[in-house]
Amino acid sequence: MDVRYSSGDRAAESDLIRSAPFFAELTDEVIDRAVAQVVTLRHPADQVILRENDWGSSVYFILDGWVKICTYNLDGKEVTLNILGKGELFGEMAPLDEVPRSTDVITLSSTVIGSMPARSFVQLMQSEPLAGIRLAKLMARRLRQVNRRLRLRESDSQARVVDILLFLAEGQGRAAQRGTEIPNLPHRELSSLSGLARETVTRVLSKLEKKGLIERDRAVLRIFDLTALERFLI
């Protein structure tokens, strides 16, 4: 069940929206207008937020939690294209291109999402150059990530799993006392992202853990040394 924030939580809701990196460097006046257009909901895990081929009536900001961006191959098998977390946005392409959605978006955990009407988002892009620059930087970073993953498609299984871990650390990593923490995703999601069998992903993760490079618990995968992990890509 989706949960709407109560009126008593409006201040906290506003702070959550303002914390989204997309709004950084915009003036308070612009942010106030944007916040007034955003509706915030908490969604449970495994909730479908967007469907492929839907029309884009809103743009979404992840204020807490995780979602996966996925599509389906010719056999109907789900293919995970990306994992997005706090501070990211999605659904921005459909209203800009005026075409239907090209992917599904599904929550991986309890997730707080702010939705802005597509028309308001487009108006923001047209009136605020900084907002357009923020979006362009986001798209450029995602393109670099995709290009790197495509280059590694012919690499061995260990390099491909390591690349996914580094990819998640770059986008969603959180500095911790003992390294960098990323969500400990189900192996089926890592399998889909890397294009490897789930059993192969499990085997590689176990090897990395035995080498002392990573540590896993229920919710978090901890990378002790990003530089040491990057050496597996050379």
Side-chain angles (χ1 to χ4, degrees), residues 17-232:
I17 298 168
R18 290 170 182 274
S19 70
F22 178 80
F23 295 113
E25 301 178 12
L26 299 181
T27 66
D28 289 340
E29 180 183 357
V30 171
I31 294 174
D32 287 341
R33 289 202 306 268
V35 168
Q37 298 292 320
V38 177
V39 174
T40 304
L41 295 174
R42 180 177 291 277
H43 302 271
D46 300 317
Q47 175 87 42
V48 177
I49 306 299
L50 296 179
R51 286 285 190 192
E52 190 172 343
N53 295 321
D54 285 350
W55 284 92
S57 60
S58 296
V59 174
Y60 302 86
F61 299 87
I62 305 173
L63 306 178
D64 193 28
W66 309 91
V67 304
K68 63 178 177 181
I69 313 298
C70 56
T71 187
Y72 301 87
N73 63 21
L74 294 177
D75 296 326
K77 182 181 178 181
E78 182 182 288
V79 178
T80 301
L81 302 175
N82 205 346
I83 303 290
L84 302 180
K86 182 177 179 180
E88 297 273 7
L89 72 149
F90 61 90
E92 74 285 352
M93 298 306 296
L96 291 174
D97 284 349
E98 298 183 343
V99 295
R101 308 286 189 188
S102 59
T103 58
D104 286 1
V105 180
I106 304 172
T107 58
L108 289 170
S109 63
S110 178
T111 303
V112 180
I113 294 177
S115 62
M116 175 185 284
R119 180 177 297 179
S120 299
F121 182 77
V122 172
Q123 289 174 347
L124 181 62
M125 294 297 99
Q126 293 172 337
S127 62
E128 296 297 326
L130 276 178
I133 291 172
R134 299 290 295 186
L135 182 61
K137 287 182 177 179
L138 170 68
M139 301 309 296
R141 178 167 65 85
R142 289 182 183 173
L143 182 59
R144 285 197 304 272
Q145 291 171 336
V146 169
N147 286 340
R148 187 179 74 180
R149 287 168 59 195
L150 287 174
R151 287 198 304 271
L152 286 166
R153 279 287 172 170
E154 302 304 319
S155 300
D156 61 40
S157 58
Q158 184 168 259
R160 288 161 70 176
V161 173
V162 165
D163 178 62
I164 295 302
L165 298 182
L166 293 172
F167 162 71
L168 292 172
E170 179 185 349
Q172 312 304 333
R174 180 178 61 195
Q177 198 169 27
R178 299 174 61 208
T180 301
E181 294 181 346
I182 61 176
N184 189 15
L185 297 174
H187 291 188
R188 67 176 181 274
E189 304 299 347
L190 296 177
S191 169
S192 187
L193 276 169
S194 64
L196 297 167
R198 185 163 51 180
E199 295 78 10
T200 302
V201 170
T202 300
R203 185 168 60 252
V204 171
L205 290 175
S206 296
K207 286 182 178 179
L208 294 175
E209 197 162 21
K210 288 177 181 177
K211 290 178 180 179
L213 293 168
I214 66 171
E215 178 182 74
R216 293 175 288 171
D217 60 32
R218 184 174 181 181
V220 170
L221 187 151
R222 191 171 295 104
I223 302 171
F224 293 116
D225 187 339
L226 289 172
T227 302
L229 204 59
E230 286 173 352
R231 294 194 186 104
F232 286 91

